């Protein structure tokens, strides 16, 4: 579906966005995988947001673009570390596509899943959905899997968002459905609850999950748990206080 110039000369339909922090060793193979699926997607742009990396992340992204792996790659940089959700919002605000796909920059997400995600988005009847990737076979340590299972269970019980797993970055949605959401670190984990409050239907899709090639996670189980509980309470408050009209009539 991609144009011969990979959509570089026309407005893209899709924006593929990753926020990265010190992921220099994972970027080239990930970008090669993204490039390999572009001809099976609508015209797309790729945006990587560097969230204050101190390694060679930006240099590696520039090399990926210069070497022709992703010549249309857009590279945005924060001057300091603001967090993953801030990086994703920076990318989404800069995006030109109607649709957005989010992914991690550590290589654990598989770009082959973009194809089915976009099909679910574009073939849906009625209002466009939020498509959330659900990791059916986690490639993480036992302690991380148990912590994730607890966090997902608590979130699902308290928020009743209908989603078994929001921890995977792989998500697809319309850009205009994201922009009105309040910004806070951890936002990307609560898209089913926050978009659902605004009438966006949820579609859960099994996705691949892989081991990291290089580096380590930026989070520990403990800090994920503490921050996650606080965020759940905050989202409960936001949704409880939200008053969002279902229909507005201009007369």
């Amino acid at each position: 579906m991609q144009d011969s110039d990979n959509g570089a000369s026309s407005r893209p339909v899709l924006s593929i966005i990753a926020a990265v922090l010190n992921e220099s060793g994972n970027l080239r193979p990930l970008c090669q995988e993204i490039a390999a699926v572009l001809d099976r997607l609508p015209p797309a742009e790729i945006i990587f947001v560097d969230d204050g990396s101190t390694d060679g992340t930006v240099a590696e992204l520039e090399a990926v673009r210069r070497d022709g792996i992703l010549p249309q790659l857009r590279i945005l940089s924060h001057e300091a570390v603001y967090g993953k959700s801030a990086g994703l919002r920076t990318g989404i605000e800069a995006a030109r596509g109607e649709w957005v796909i989010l992914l991690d920059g550590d290589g654990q997400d598989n770009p082959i899943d973009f194809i089915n995600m976009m099909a679910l988005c574009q073939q849906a009847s009625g209002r466009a959905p939020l498509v959330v990737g659900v990791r059916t076979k986690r490639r993480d340590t036992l302690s991380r899997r148990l912590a994730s299972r607890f966090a997902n269970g608590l979130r699902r019980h308290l928020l009743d968002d209908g989603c078994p797993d929001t921890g995977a970055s792989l998500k697809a949605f319309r850009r205009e459905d994201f922009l009105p959401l309040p910004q806070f670190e951890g936002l990307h984990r609560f898209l089913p609850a926050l978009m659902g409050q605004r009438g966006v239907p949820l579609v859960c899709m099994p996705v691949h999950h892989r081991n990291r090639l290089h580096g380590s996670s930026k989070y520990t189980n403990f800090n994920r748990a503490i921050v996650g509980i606080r965020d759940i309470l905050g989202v409960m408050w936001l949704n409880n206080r939200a008053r969002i009209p279902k229909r507005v009539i201009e007369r």
Side-chain angles (χ1 to χ4, degrees):
M1 286 185 281
Q2 190 76 280
D3 294 339
S4 58
D5 64 352
N6 287 331
S9 62
S10 59
R11 187 176 184 88
V13 173
L14 168 65
S15 299
I16 298 167
I17 300 172
V20 292
L21 172 61
N22 295 335
E23 296 288 2
S24 59
N26 296 311
L27 296 174
R28 184 170 291 259
L30 176 60
C31 288
Q32 289 170 331
E33 290 183 325
I34 294 173
V37 302
L38 286 180
D39 63 352
R40 301 172 65 184
L41 294 170
E45 65 177 354
I46 301 91
I47 302 174
F48 274 68
V49 182
D50 168 56
D51 187 39
S53 294
T54 56
D55 67 350
T57 288
V58 172
E60 185 63 14
L61 288 171
E62 290 173 339
V64 163
R65 184 170 59 190
R66 183 177 61 249
D67 294 345
I69 296 171
L70 285 175
Q72 74 277 52
L73 176 63
R74 298 174 62 190
I75 305 168
L76 308 178
S77 292
H78 291 167
E79 78 283 4
V81 177
Y82 289 96
K84 184 174 180 178
S85 290
L88 293 174
R89 179 170 285 273
T90 292
I92 294 168
E93 287 180 345
R96 297 178 297 141
E98 174 188 1
W99 296 95
V100 169
I101 288 180
L102 306 181
L103 81 156
D104 264 337
D106 59 9
Q108 289 195 281
D109 297 327
N110 191 332
I112 198 70
D113 288 317
F114 297 172
I115 299 165
N116 287 339
M117 295 188 94
M118 278 309 300
L120 287 171
C121 284
Q122 295 186 307
Q123 294 170 7
S125 59
R127 183 162 181 177
L130 162 67
V131 179
V132 173
V134 175
R135 301 164 292 185
T136 55
K137 294 184 179 180
R138 293 284 301 273
R139 303 297 182 184
D140 282 321
T141 63
L142 177 61
S143 62
R144 191 170 292 279
R145 293 199 305 271
L146 291 175
S148 179
R149 186 177 303 171
F150 170 78
N152 276 313
L154 181 64
R155 171 195 46 75
R156 192 166 62 248
H157 174 72
L158 293 177
L159 298 181
D160 192 25
D161 60 9
C163 189
D165 176 21
T166 64
S169 286
L170 270 178
K171 296 176 177 70
F173 47 83
R174 283 199 314 171
R175 178 176 177 268
E176 68 179 41
D177 286 331
F178 176 90
L179 292 177
L181 301 182
Q183 173 60 23
F184 59 92
E185 185 52 32
L187 167 64
H188 59 283
R189 297 178 180 276
F190 297 98
L191 293 184
L194 292 168
M195 287 190 177
Q197 177 77 2
R198 290 158 173 79
V200 178
L202 173 67
V203 175
C204 295
M205 180 188 119
V207 296
H208 300 83
H209 190 248
R210 308 180 293 190
N211 293 316
R212 270 179 167 268
L213 291 176
H214 303 282
S216 59
S217 173
K218 310 304 184 294
Y219 308 96
T220 66
N221 291 339
F222 179 75
N223 65 27
R224 275 185 190 271
I226 296 300
V227 173
I229 291 171
R230 182 188 66 190
D231 288 345
I232 289 172
L233 295 175
V235 172
M236 289 175 66
W237 181 86
L238 283 170
N239 276 355
N240 181 259
R241 296 297 297 165
R243 298 293 183 268
I244 302 168
K246 295 186 181 300
R247 190 162 62 106
V248 176
I249 301 172
E250 182 174 356
R251 299 187 186 279

